[in-house]
Amino acid sequence: MQKQEFTITAYTENQIGLINRIAIMFSRRKINIESLNTSPSEIEGIHRFTIVINETEEVVRKLCRQIEKQVEVLKAYYNTNDEIVWQEMGLYKVPTDIIAEKVKVERLLREFGARAVVIRKDYTVFETTGHREEIERLIKALEPYHLIEFVRSARVAIIKDSHGFHTKLKEFEKEEPGEEVIENEFLDKREQVFTM
Amino acid sequence: MSNATTTTIEPAIAAPDKATQTLSGSQAVLEACLAEGVTTIFGYPGGAIMPIYDALYDYADKLEHILVRHEQGGIHAAQGYARASGRTGVVFATSGPGATNLVTGLADALIDSTPLVCITGQVFAHLLGTDAFQEIDVINITTPVTKWNYQVTDATEIPAVLAKAFYIAGTGRPGPVLIDITKNAQLQKFDYEGYTPCNHIRSYRPKPIVRKEYVAEAAALINAAQKPFVIFGQGVVLGKAEQEFKTFIEKAGLPAAWTIMGMGAIPTNHPQAVGMLGMHGNYAPNVLTNECDVLIAIGMRFDDRVTGRLDKYAKQAKVIHLDIDPAEIDKNVKADIPVWGDCKETLPLLTALVEKKDRSSWLSEFRELEKKEQEQVITPELNPSSDTLTMGEVLKFINELTEGEAIMVTDVGQHQMVTCRYAHFNNSKSNITSGGLGTMGFGLPAAIGAKYGAPDKHVIAIIGDGGIQMTIQELGTIMQFGAAVKILILNNQFLGMVRQWQQLFHDKRYSFVNITSPNYVTVAKGYGIEGRTVDQRADLKAALKTMLDHPGAYLLEVMVGKENNVFPMVPQGCSVSEIRLS
Ligand SMILES: Cc1ncc(C[n+]2csc(CCOP(=O)(O)OP(=O)(O)O)c2C)c(N)n1
């Protein structure tokens, strides 16, 4: 099986130390995390992890099961890049005087759909969102103009082919505490969206 | 205690004040234990857990606390207790070194799915992260070796957190849970509103929902099979599904082999029992794994010690895997039919659908191979022609004397494999051993715990001369608490199992496996424990009988052959059908 980029989406309780518990699942298998984002989800008290790794599907599938096994994890999905819509954000800090002088830069920014976040006498911070390559193209373009600092965010992703965990969770919540997450719901569609 | 701490000396905490229901965090911990039906706690005190020990003073009539000699001994004892009784073991330890001494036992319990609740004291919350005296980040150290852990800094959290801890430890695939409680939370008084056991956590699904269609597919496959073969593990015991399991294999006429952890789930002399799987398992079940057409794995996890080379493991067979833990299915061996669920639920469903069959010709294939093992390995081991005592014959006499009724707790090494190969068990939860981690030093303390877990049974700890020296200090616990454990040291004057590997795979280069022993009988005497050494066959059976008949603890050392090997053996990197008989 070929290694490729997979995005893991995990819904979890908001719990101290959980990020460590999840990170251990990767480090223990010597899998490098390309990007990790964690933040509150649309649902009160539930966090959403977005983790990008380069691995074979078999490894990712097993990992998702291990992640989901953690007590505070509600659900873990994995997707290939064509199954998700994703974005990263880049922040670029450049000297204002150079920007102000050189109109070319402004055009450059328009081309990349960037936005000024802060404009000060000494420096200006631009922001852009997009796929990794898009963000990287702007770094390349800004480098000649004395790029002072650059930072890229972790990936955030929305799964295309799913009604989302949101509806599912709402259903569970309605049925609480009687019903629990249906573990094997997707087993018969194993090879399709994800295997759980 | 060092002056470096900012520990304040608090007055002793009074018994709970029922009228106002004002409790300290410490009292709430003990109330939780009582509410969960805990009767025995294994532990060792220290500065950061002193408030809990102080409260324990007032609960001494309701909660029996066994003071071990080392926290590792404490947690292994709790494991032995849990494994013998089927209940959750409880451990107390202090912060820092107390907590780090638990790590080996946590890892052992996690891999062997043993339910434990460990409570560690922690420095005051305001000192967290300051490298205070005996402060360590116990949560992060124990994260990879616990099913769940949590740090309490406020007493009001204690009832709910402990309820969660017991629920998580004991349900689904059981495992160890660690709760770290800061000293301020132990001392803090709060309005106690009683204890409510936990039976639901939003993000925790202990049991997957059973999918009937897979059960039906599995049954159809078994019904159509010519050579179906059951391999089972501890899942049957943990699911308390021994009876359901027996009914299942009996109706469908299936030969069944156990993993080291599944041993005892059915009586070892059951007519359909075909022995132990794995590296030092029996010849027939290992070889025939590669001949069956349907392999039915129940509550076992295809450990590499069981499968040998995965790419040559049961390739011809369709695999049905029953397990409560979805992460186990397809982990090592791809399942054609996954039956997720508690086998207590899934087995009866399966039994209802399988046809009653007589498969005696298939079963006789096992018996044929068994004869070969009997001739080449078992007979010479149990009835040796030389004067040298073998480990196997010790087991033979134990079997004769206990008639399969004793609990045997083993340490790790050759004696462990010999015990698991030759011991007879009539009852479930009788074989207690460190299966997944292979922890030397497990045997003696686990036997102490097992005695508390099953006080009416003979508990025999079978230990090597290496392993006994790892936790020998627990003789002190036996002495103080009068645990009537029978300690059987099989002394081959070597770290035997390592020596065996060196002989077979490292050209007999015996690098640092020669271990000398103290005079164990004298050591035992020092602890007030009776004992004896035997090196003659003529004395062996009588000595074992003396040990068993002795009312209290007893240590018997048997001098066995120095360079005897355990066979059969699937050498590392080989297929199970390449198992060697010599
Ligand atoms: C804590 C620990 N350290 C090392 C080992 C590696 N090990 C496995 S078996 C063994 C030898 C055991 O020797 P002994 O206790 O004398 O038992 P025997 O094999 O002779 O029966 C060793 C060192 C282990 N399993 N656990």
Side-chain angles (χ1 to χ4, degrees):
Chain A
M1 253 198 266
Q2 272 288 315
K3 281 195 184 180
Q4 56 169 317
E5 207 161 75
F6 279 98
T7 300
I8 295 172
T9 307
Y11 292 89
T12 74
E13 301 283 353
N14 176 12
Q15 181 73 59
I16 293 169
L18 189 58
I19 190 162
N20 191 29
R21 237 172 218 286
I22 289 176
I24 284 171
M25 321 239 95
F26 296 85
S27 57
R28 171 169 188 205
R29 291 169 181 76
K30 276 192 99 89
I31 294 170
N32 188 39
I33 294 179
E34 303 293 331
S35 137
L36 185 154
N37 174 72
T38 168
S39 59
S41 74
E42 70 275 28
I43 298 141
E44 175 82 29
I46 290 183
H47 271 221
R48 179 171 175 150
F49 281 67
T50 306
I51 305 166
V52 184
I53 58 169
N54 235 310
E55 259 307 334
T56 63
E57 179 170 357
E58 189 173 337
V59 169
V60 179
R61 181 174 58 228
K62 289 176 184 172
L63 259 167
C64 276
R65 286 194 186 162
Q66 296 289 348
I67 292 171
E68 201 164 68
K69 189 172 149 178
Q70 294 303 316
V71 168
E72 278 128 350
V73 175
L74 285 93
K75 201 83 194 124
Y77 302 99
Y78 70 88
N79 293 96
T80 56
N81 284 345
D82 48 351
E83 292 167 348
I84 54 169
V85 177
W86 86 94
Q87 294 278 280
E88 288 168 13
M89 187 181 74
L91 290 178
Y92 314 75
K93 184 161 139 188
V94 279
T96 302
D97 49 353
I98 303 186
I99 294 294
E101 271 167 39
K102 310 207 172 174
V103 193
K104 261 202 257 165
V105 175
E106 192 196 305
R107 199 179 305 139
L108 207 65
L109 297 176
R110 284 171 183 275
E111 254 171 55
F112 286 89
R115 205 159 65 78
V117 185
V118 168
I119 304 170
R120 288 175 30 144
K121 267 205 199 113
D122 46 349
Y123 64 79
T124 298
V125 175
F126 293 102
E127 168 258 12
T128 181
T129 52
H131 286 189
R132 168 174 286 231
E133 312 77 57
E134 297 172 89
I135 290 171
E136 249 147 42
R137 272 197 301 140
L138 185 56
I139 311 180
K140 283 270 169 316
L142 283 175
E143 250 161 19
Y145 305 105
H146 299 239
L147 179 66
I148 302 167
E149 196 182 336
F150 163 73
V151 62
R152 187 209 329 270
S153 75
R155 171 181 295 190
V156 289
I158 294 258
I159 303 165
K160 287 183 199 167
D161 185 23
S162 106
H163 298 291
F165 180 70
H166 187 90
T167 355
K168 205 162 171 201
L169 191 81
K170 287 280 165 201
E171 282 166 28
F172 304 149
E173 299 264 271
K174 237 188 347 208
E175 291 159 9
E176 285 281 278
E179 264 302 305
E180 293 183 305
V181 178
I182 297 159
E183 187 78 70
N184 297 3
E185 200 186 345
F186 296 97
L187 197 60
D188 49 354
K189 301 182 199 146
R190 295 225 258 183
E191 257 48 71
Q192 296 170 22
V193 190
F194 53 82
T195 309
M196 263 326 301
Chain B
M1 231 127 306
S2 157
N3 297 330
T5 57
T6 58
T7 306
T8 47
I9 306 297
E10 293 278 319
I13 297 159
D17 180 344
K18 292 285 177 214
T20 61
Q21 285 295 294
T22 298
L23 254 61
S24 69
S26 298
Q27 288 167 318
V29 167
L30 301 180
E31 288 294 327
C33 289
L34 285 179
E36 292 289 346
V38 174
T39 52
T40 311
I41 294 165
F42 301 90
Y44 208 88
I49 198 168
M50 273 178 61
I52 289 178
Y53 272 85
D54 184 65
L56 196 55
Y57 196 75
D58 298 320
Y59 283 76
D61 55 335
K62 287 175 268 180
L63 291 169
E64 184 177 25
H65 178 271
I66 310 300
L67 177 70
V68 292
R69 294 299 183 266
H70 185 294
E71 288 84 355
Q72 183 185 358
I75 189 162
H76 290 329
Q79 291 177 271
Y81 174 88
R83 296 265 286 273
S85 69
R87 302 168 63 189
T88 297
V90 179
V91 182
F92 288 172
T94 193
S95 68
T100 53
N101 278 345
L102 296 180
V103 172
T104 303
L106 289 170
D108 194 283
L110 184 69
I111 198 161
D112 281 349
S113 310
T114 308
L116 295 183
V117 170
C118 299
I119 294 180
T120 48
Q122 181 56 279
V123 300
F124 283 89
H126 68 270
L127 292 173
L128 287 171
T130 64
D131 298 330
F133 178 67
Q134 295 193 331
E135 187 216 352
I136 54 132
D137 183 355
V138 58
I139 294 299
N140 272 312
I141 286 180
T142 61
T143 293
V145 289
T146 49
K147 184 174 174 187
W148 187 68
N149 62 9
Y150 189 82
Q151 186 171 62
V152 174
T153 48
D154 186 316
T156 58
E157 291 184 296
I158 287 174
V161 166
L162 281 188
K164 236 175 128 174
F166 278 97
Y167 178 58
I168 292 169
T171 53
R173 181 175 177 172
V177 167
L178 182 136
I179 306 297
D180 192 42
I181 310 179
T182 56
K183 197 163 177 180
N184 58 295
Q186 297 170 43
L187 294 166
Q188 183 190 338
K189 299 253 169 60
F190 70 109
D191 287 339
Y192 180 72
E193 284 163 10
Y195 184 82
T196 318
C198 174
N199 60 16
H200 179 85
I201 298 171
R202 177 166 67 173
S203 56
Y204 174 59
R205 286 146 285 154
K207 288 183 199 176
I209 287 169
V210 176
R211 293 268 303 241
K212 301 244 168 67
E213 56 270 40
Y214 285 113
V215 175
E217 276 181 39
L221 197 57
I222 296 168
N223 290 338
Q226 297 304 305
K227 295 181 166 190
F229 178 30
V230 169
I231 56 180
F232 66 96
Q234 197 193 194
V236 175
V237 179
L238 293 170
K240 300 186 169 58
E242 292 90 344
Q243 192 52 49
E244 289 80 356
F245 177 72
K246 198 159 153 268
T247 315
F248 166 66
I249 60 164
E250 284 173 357
K251 180 174 179 194
L254 304 166
W258 52 80
T259 69
I260 194 171
M261 297 298 288
M263 185 172 199
I266 50 169
T268 39
N269 64 3
H270 187 283
Q272 277 158 251
V274 293
M276 182 166 88
L277 296 158
M279 185 174 271
H280 290 288
N282 292 107
Y283 188 62
N286 274 318
V287 169
L288 293 181
T289 296
N290 278 350
E291 304 216 348
C292 65
D293 55 357
V294 174
L295 191 65
I296 307 142
I298 303 177
M300 58 84 71
R301 56 189 185 88
F302 291 109
D303 183 86
D304 55 273
R305 281 293 198 266
V306 162
T307 63
R309 260 181 86 150
L310 267 181
D311 60 345
K312 292 190 174 176
Y313 184 77
K315 285 292 163 207
Q316 79 296 342
K318 291 259 186 229
V319 175
I320 301 170
H321 193 173
L322 284 74
D323 209 293
I324 196 166
D325 179 356
E328 285 304 337
I329 288 173
D330 286 355
K331 187 180 81 177
N332 296 334
V333 171
K334 182 108 187 85
D336 295 282
I337 303 179
V339 182
W340 293 358
D342 184 342
C343 60
K344 180 122 187 142
E345 272 173 63
T346 53
L347 281 172
L349 296 173
L350 201 50
T351 306
L353 298 179
V354 292
E355 289 158 12
K356 199 166 167 54
K357 285 231 166 118
D358 170 35
R359 301 188 189 266
S360 42
S361 72
W362 167 226
L363 200 59
S364 67
E365 285 189 41
F366 286 85
R367 301 304 173 209
E368 275 309 306
L369 295 179
E370 208 172 275
K371 266 188 218 146
K372 202 169 160 186
E373 182 181 348
Q374 183 77 40
E375 275 163 31
Q376 291 189 41
V377 182
I378 302 176
T379 305
E381 172 74 27
L382 300 191
N383 303 296
S385 47
S386 82
D387 288 344
T388 317
L389 295 183
T390 66
M391 294 186 179
E393 63 185 316
V394 178
L395 266 299
K396 177 182 74 177
F397 289 128
I398 292 179
N399 287 337
E400 285 174 18
L401 293 166
T402 64
E403 298 178 331
E405 290 298 321
I407 290 181
M408 296 198 215
V409 184
T410 55
D411 206 74
V412 172
Q414 291 183 315
H415 63 280
Q416 173 191 32
M417 292 302 136
V418 169
T419 304
C420 292
R421 285 180 48 77
Y422 296 108
H424 291 175
F425 295 114
N426 300 339
N427 308 305
S428 182
K429 301 199 278 286
S430 296
N431 181 40
I432 298 175
T433 193
S434 169
L437 201 68
T439 305
M440 280 174 77
F442 174 86
L444 183 61
I448 297 173
K451 188 70 195 173
Y452 283 94
D456 302 334
K457 290 260 162 81
H458 269 309
V459 173
I460 308 173
I462 301 176
I463 312 180
D465 45 326
I468 186 81
Q469 294 187 64
M470 281 209 171
T471 46
I472 198 165
Q473 75 286 348
E474 298 309 329
L475 291 175
T477 307
I478 293 173
M479 166 183 70
Q480 184 171 353
F481 294 89
V485 174
K486 313 299 174 185
I487 305 153
L488 184 57
I489 298 173
L490 299 185
N491 189 346
N492 54 10
Q493 301 166 62
F494 272 119
L495 298 177
M497 187 56 96
V498 179
R499 188 211 51 77
Q500 173 169 345
W501 283 53
Q502 288 173 339
Q503 178 185 347
L504 299 176
F505 313 118
H506 293 272
D507 299 329
K508 271 193 140 186
R509 287 153 56 88
Y510 289 170
S511 179
F512 300 100
V513 286
N514 198 327
I515 187 167
T516 56
S517 284
N519 182 328
Y520 290 117
V521 176
T522 310
V523 171
K525 286 234 166 75
Y527 282 103
I529 297 168
E530 288 285 322
R532 178 180 176 190
T533 297
V534 168
D535 57 6
Q536 297 297 315
R537 183 161 297 126
D539 302 332
L540 182 57
K541 192 170 177 184
L544 285 164
K545 189 164 184 332
T546 308
M547 171 182 89
L548 290 169
D549 290 346
H550 187 80
Y554 194 94
L555 183 145
L556 178 65
E557 177 190 32
V558 181
M559 304 305 293
V560 294
K562 282 188 73 169
E563 295 185 65
N564 287 350
N565 289 334
V566 191
F567 281 109
M569 178 174 196
V570 181
Q572 189 128 26
C574 288
S575 136
V576 284
S577 44
E578 294 171 90
I579 182 168
R580 288 172 56 169
L581 284 168
S582 61

mmCIF file of all heavy atoms in Angstrom, chain B residues 34 205 253 339 403 553:
data_model
loop_
_atom_site.group_PDB
_atom_site.id
_atom_site.type_symbol
_atom_site.label_atom_id
_atom_site.label_comp_id
_atom_site.label_asym_id
_atom_site.label_seq_id
_atom_site.Cartn_x
_atom_site.Cartn_y
_atom_site.Cartn_z
ATOM 1 N N LEU B 34 -15.657 2.221 49.598
ATOM 2 C CA LEU B 34 -16.691 1.424 50.260
ATOM 3 C C LEU B 34 -17.896 1.242 49.348
ATOM 4 O O LEU B 34 -18.417 0.141 49.196
ATOM 5 C CB LEU B 34 -17.140 2.109 51.555
ATOM 6 C CG LEU B 34 -16.187 2.022 52.740
ATOM 7 C CD1 LEU B 34 -16.771 2.768 53.941
ATOM 8 C CD2 LEU B 34 -15.902 0.563 53.102
ATOM 9 N N ARG B 205 -17.510 4.116 24.993
ATOM 10 C CA ARG B 205 -18.417 3.043 24.622
ATOM 11 C C ARG B 205 -17.766 1.715 24.952
ATOM 12 O O ARG B 205 -17.005 1.180 24.156
ATOM 13 C CB ARG B 205 -18.730 3.107 23.134
ATOM 14 C CG ARG B 205 -19.671 4.239 22.796
ATOM 15 C CD ARG B 205 -19.353 4.821 21.449
ATOM 16 N NE ARG B 205 -18.160 5.638 21.483
ATOM 17 C CZ ARG B 205 -17.393 5.863 20.450
ATOM 18 N NH1 ARG B 205 -17.644 5.316 19.313
ATOM 19 N NH2 ARG B 205 -16.330 6.654 20.554
ATOM 20 N N GLY B 253 -19.063 -28.880 18.299
ATOM 21 C CA GLY B 253 -18.018 -29.907 18.256
ATOM 22 C C GLY B 253 -16.645 -29.381 17.888
ATOM 23 O O GLY B 253 -15.877 -30.045 17.197
ATOM 24 N N VAL B 339 -16.735 -10.031 14.597
ATOM 25 C CA VAL B 339 -17.896 -10.047 15.490
ATOM 26 C C VAL B 339 -17.526 -9.217 16.706
ATOM 27 O O VAL B 339 -16.890 -9.693 17.634
ATOM 28 C CB VAL B 339 -18.295 -11.484 15.890
ATOM 29 C CG1 VAL B 339 -19.532 -11.470 16.783
ATOM 30 C CG2 VAL B 339 -18.554 -12.334 14.657
ATOM 31 N N GLU B 403 -5.338 -31.721 42.388
ATOM 32 C CA GLU B 403 -6.423 -32.167 41.504
ATOM 33 C C GLU B 403 -7.065 -31.017 40.738
ATOM 34 O O GLU B 403 -8.282 -30.938 40.602
ATOM 35 C CB GLU B 403 -7.473 -32.943 42.304
ATOM 36 C CG GLU B 403 -6.857 -34.196 42.921
ATOM 37 C CD GLU B 403 -7.836 -34.988 43.771
ATOM 38 O OE1 GLU B 403 -8.758 -34.370 44.335
ATOM 39 O OE2 GLU B 403 -7.662 -36.213 43.872
ATOM 40 N N ALA B 553 1.973 -19.699 55.313
ATOM 41 C CA ALA B 553 2.847 -19.580 54.141
ATOM 42 C C ALA B 553 3.967 -20.608 54.247
ATOM 43 O O ALA B 553 4.341 -21.041 55.351
ATOM 44 C CB ALA B 553 3.436 -18.180 54.087
#
